[in-house]
């Protein structure tokens, strides 16, 4: 199971890193915005977590946002959907990993380490490597990226064992908001008509689910 979760999170993060470097940061933000609602859907289908009407409406709005993007561009937003599906599957599998969260994370890293080292060495031999072969600033940034990737994943691994999948899902809209603001105000990516329609629909869906969650917790 750890091998599966390690593979899935590697695919997810690889797509994310590619999206940032290739000028698709808004697509990445959209993918992680949709993901909480996909986690809610998985929780209902696979774990039997019950959804009320507001939660069902939230999922429907997310689906309509994807339809709007597809109709406008003439193709599915594959980057966004790939990030959504891979992270949602990772969340589900991580919850069912039969060992402690910190042990699970360590095991994932150990399983991936040989492949990562092999890739770094191969890139260096081809003359395309940057780790320990480029500038000191590049090396420092790469090490820093590792730290800010591992830290949140360890916190997430602990939280995933303690919380409902749907609760984890709704908390995950904080990160895509930061990605969205970076894309628009730092990277200056174009925010076309389709995105002007799709993003507010996603925000409305998240607001509906947050309201439903608060109302349910007050009722209890």
């Amino acid at each position: 199971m750890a091998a599966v979760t390690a593979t899935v999170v590697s695919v997810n993060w690889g797509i994310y890193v590619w999206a940032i470097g290739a000028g698709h940061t808004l697509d990445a933000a959209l993918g992680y915005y949709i993901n909480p609602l996909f986690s809610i859907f998985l929780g209902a289908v696979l774990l039997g977590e019950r959804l009320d009407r507001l939660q069902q409406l939230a999922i429907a709005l997310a689906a309509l946002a994807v339809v709007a993007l597809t109709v406008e561009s003439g193709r599915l937003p594959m980057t966004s959907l790939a990030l959504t599906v891979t992270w949602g599957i990772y969340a589900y599998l991580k919850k069912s990993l039969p060992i402690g969260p910190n042990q699970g994370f360590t095991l994932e890293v150990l399983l991936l380490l040989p492949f990562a080292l092999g890739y770094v060495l191969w890139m260096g031999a081809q003359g395309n490597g940057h780790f320990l072969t480029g500038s000191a600033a590049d090396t420092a940034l790469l090490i820093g990226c590792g730290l800010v990737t591992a830290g949140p994943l360890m916190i997430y691994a602990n939280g995933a064992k303690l919380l409902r999948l749907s609760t984890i899902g709704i908390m995950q809209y904080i990160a895509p908001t930061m990605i969205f603001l970076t894309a628009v105000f730092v990277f200056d990516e174009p925010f076309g008509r389709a995105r002007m329609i799709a993003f507010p629909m996603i925000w409305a869906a998240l607001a509906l689910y947050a309201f439903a969650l608060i109302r349910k917790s007050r009722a209890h």
Side-chain angles (χ1 to χ4, degrees):
M1 180 60 76
V4 175
T5 57
T7 301
V8 173
V9 78
S10 296
V11 172
N12 177 271
W13 207 247
I15 295 170
Y16 174 71
V17 171
W18 170 83
I20 299 300
H24 294 280
T25 307
L26 278 172
D27 290 334
L30 180 65
Y32 286 124
Y33 267 129
I34 299 172
N35 177 69
L37 301 170
F38 182 69
S39 291
I40 297 163
F41 174 76
L42 282 182
V45 173
L46 301 178
L47 301 179
E49 296 179 359
R50 297 182 62 184
L51 303 180
D52 60 24
R53 290 182 180 178
L54 283 179
Q55 293 167 332
Q56 293 171 10
L57 179 59
I59 293 173
L61 274 174
L64 287 173
V66 173
V67 171
L69 287 169
T70 303
V71 170
E72 178 69 20
S73 64
R75 59 180 178 84
L76 283 169
M78 293 306 298
T79 300
S80 302
L81 291 177
L83 288 171
T84 296
V85 172
T86 52
W87 188 259
I89 292 172
Y90 178 70
Y92 171 72
L93 295 177
K94 193 72 176 179
K95 192 174 180 66
S96 60
L97 191 65
I99 56 176
N102 295 320
Q103 293 91 336
F105 180 81
T106 303
L107 182 55
E108 288 174 350
V109 171
L110 290 174
L111 288 169
L112 292 170
L113 186 59
F115 300 99
L117 287 176
Y119 182 68
V120 168
L121 292 172
W122 180 78
M123 290 289 287
Q126 297 293 316
N128 298 319
H130 296 282
F131 187 65
L132 298 179
T133 58
S135 68
D138 286 344
T139 299
L141 284 171
L142 287 167
I143 293 172
C145 286
L147 292 174
V148 299
T149 298
L153 279 175
M154 289 192 71
I155 296 169
Y156 173 80
N158 283 272
K161 289 286 185 179
L162 302 172
L163 299 173
R164 291 180 61 190
L165 188 62
S166 53
T167 304
I168 296 168
I170 200 60
M171 293 179 68
Q172 289 175 11
Y173 72 85
I174 299 170
T177 299
M178 298 171 66
I179 298 170
F180 171 81
L181 294 174
T182 301
V184 174
F185 296 107
V186 179
F187 297 158
D188 199 27
E189 288 192 12
F191 194 64
R193 183 178 63 178
R195 286 170 172 170
M196 288 181 183
I197 296 171
F199 273 90
M201 292 175 74
I202 296 295
W203 294 331
L206 291 168
L208 281 173
Y209 181 72
F211 176 75
L213 195 65
I214 293 169
R215 186 176 65 177
K216 186 179 294 185
S217 99
R218 284 181 177 176
H220 289 311

